[in-house]
Amino acid sequence: MLNVKQLQTLTNIILKKKVKVALSKWLAELRDTYGFGILDIKGKHLLLSEQDYQTLEWVIRQYVAPSIELDQLLEPNAKERIQTAAKFNDDKAGNAKAGEEWLLIRSILGPLKLEQAIVNNPVSAICVMDKETLVNHQHQALLVVENKALMKSIHQAKLPEEVIRMDPLVVYRGDEYFSTRTSLDFIKNQLKEHPEKPLYLFTDFDPKGLVIAMAYPSIKGFIVPTQEIVWKKHTNLDNFIKQTESMRTLELNATLWNTNIQHMIRLMDKKQTAITQETMVARSLPLTTININ
């Protein structure tokens, strides 16, 4: 639940078209829920676009009635206006869990290719959709993304050409709001019913990301930065140190993986590699795919 001061902060960001804002704790939590903005290199600020302003205004409208103009929220009597004309709705305030049948999805190129129709979305559009509607989608592949924030900007990543050509259905892995189990079950069912559609996985490039990959069967390509020198230059040592348990899990299960991944595990440990998806996009790191099955 946002308070009046926080709503005013969001309003100020929109009206002043701020392209870079400090990432406070409450704003970070809001971003985790709605997936707007891109983290800067240091991870202390958010970089915003026109699409992000639209998202923020939508968030505000979950609290404030349409009769109130945004600039009125910055007036001295704004608190009284909000309290008398707002429409507070806890289910829309980000506290309620999405239905177990719903997935957060999008397309890299924009149009969403469903069985009965093509939905011509903007290139950055994200959709929440019943998984049954997606069973016979017409995309040629699947792409699972670990971080919700990346759902917003995945089209800006320097993805391998083989992935872009496939125009995959992009599926968010899930969290406490969008069920991880629902997402995983959907992917497994897709691989069973449509084995001709390959699965690609894009996670943070770190021990935890590789552990996540273990949960998915028949992965065609694990998307990673292209060169080992890139790993060292852009890694976050603190994040790697926090993932020693995940690194241990990888080492204990190394024999379950092919030689490509075994080699990667050794290098990741040696170079203490941890690169977030946000970093890969913000720094335009070239990406490639590695077969891990």
Side-chain angles (χ1 to χ4, degrees):
M1 181 72 72
L2 297 179
N3 59 39
V4 173
K5 185 176 180 180
Q6 291 168 338
L7 290 171
Q8 290 175 324
T9 298
L10 296 181
T11 300
N12 195 42
I13 290 172
I14 296 170
L15 295 181
K16 292 188 176 181
K17 301 291 184 182
K18 293 186 177 182
V19 297
K20 185 177 182 179
V21 296
L23 189 63
S24 60
K25 181 179 179 180
W26 71 267
L27 191 59
E29 292 174 349
L30 193 69
R31 176 178 180 263
D32 286 343
T33 300
Y34 296 105
F36 55 85
I38 297 176
L39 286 175
D40 69 355
I41 292 177
K42 294 183 178 180
K44 295 183 178 180
H45 293 82
L46 277 182
L47 307 180
L48 302 173
S49 65
E50 284 292 334
Q51 187 67 33
D52 296 319
Y53 302 143
Q54 295 177 25
T55 301
L56 292 179
E57 181 169 357
W58 183 89
V59 171
I60 291 172
R61 291 305 176 189
Q62 307 311 298
Y63 296 83
V64 179
S67 59
I68 298 180
E69 299 293 336
L70 288 184
D71 56 359
Q72 292 178 305
L73 300 181
L74 301 179
E75 296 175 356
N77 63 341
K79 184 173 182 178
E80 179 180 353
R81 283 180 178 272
I82 293 173
Q83 289 175 337
T84 56
K87 52 171 186 177
F88 290 97
N89 185 330
D90 288 339
D91 285 343
K92 293 183 179 180
N95 295 323
K97 186 176 178 63
E100 292 294 330
E101 303 301 310
W102 297 90
L103 296 168
L104 192 64
I105 55 98
R106 62 163 295 171
S107 164
I108 290 177
L109 303 180
L112 195 59
K113 301 174 183 178
L114 304 180
E115 182 178 19
Q116 301 297 332
I118 295 179
V119 182
N120 290 309
N121 290 328
V123 70
S124 60
I126 305 173
C127 300
V128 177
M129 195 165 289
D130 186 329
K131 67 179 184 180
E132 293 304 318
T133 306
L134 297 166
V135 168
N136 294 311
H137 67 85
Q138 301 302 300
H139 292 271
Q140 299 179 53
L142 298 161
L143 171 58
V144 174
V145 172
E146 176 188 358
N147 296 336
K148 187 186 293 182
L150 253 292
M151 289 294 289
K152 181 73 171 51
S153 56
I154 184 68
H155 61 287
Q156 297 174 343
K158 298 190 73 172
L159 295 168
E161 281 298 323
E162 68 170 280
V163 176
I164 296 175
R165 285 197 303 269
M166 299 295 283
D167 185 22
L169 176 69
V170 184
V171 181
Y172 174 48
R173 173 178 172 264
D175 52 24
E176 71 282 355
Y177 188 77
F178 288 96
S179 170
T180 303
R181 173 52 55 187
T182 298
S183 175
L184 181 59
D185 287 347
F186 172 77
I187 294 299
K188 288 182 176 179
N189 184 68
Q190 284 283 294
L191 294 174
K192 179 180 178 181
E193 299 297 327
H194 303 282
E196 75 283 0
K197 296 183 178 182
L199 170 64
Y200 296 92
L201 186 66
F202 188 28
T203 69
D204 289 341
F205 187 55
D206 55 23
K208 182 181 176 183
L210 275 176
V211 170
I212 288 172
M214 289 181 172
Y216 291 88
S218 306
I219 297 174
K220 167 70 173 179
F222 186 54
I223 299 175
V224 302
T226 55
Q227 301 175 17
E228 296 164 18
I229 190 172
V230 171
W231 303 2
K232 188 65 175 179
K233 183 178 180 181
H234 298 281
T235 195
N236 185 316
L237 183 57
D238 289 340
N239 281 351
F240 180 84
I241 293 173
K242 293 175 183 177
Q243 298 185 38
T244 53
E245 193 62 36
S246 293
M247 193 70 237
R248 177 63 174 162
T249 299
L250 290 174
E251 292 170 345
L252 290 174
N253 294 277
T255 56
L256 300 176
W257 302 70
N258 66 24
T259 55
N260 287 335
I261 296 302
Q262 291 177 23
H263 177 66
M264 184 185 298
I265 292 172
R266 288 193 295 269
L267 283 175
M268 185 176 284
D269 189 24
K270 180 179 178 180
K271 296 178 179 293
Q272 298 182 307
T273 304
I275 307 174
T276 66
Q277 290 179 293
E278 288 91 343
T279 296
M280 295 183 220
V281 174
R283 300 184 185 180
S284 298
L285 301 187
L287 304 172
T288 188
T289 58
I290 293 181
N291 186 289
I292 65 175
N293 293 118

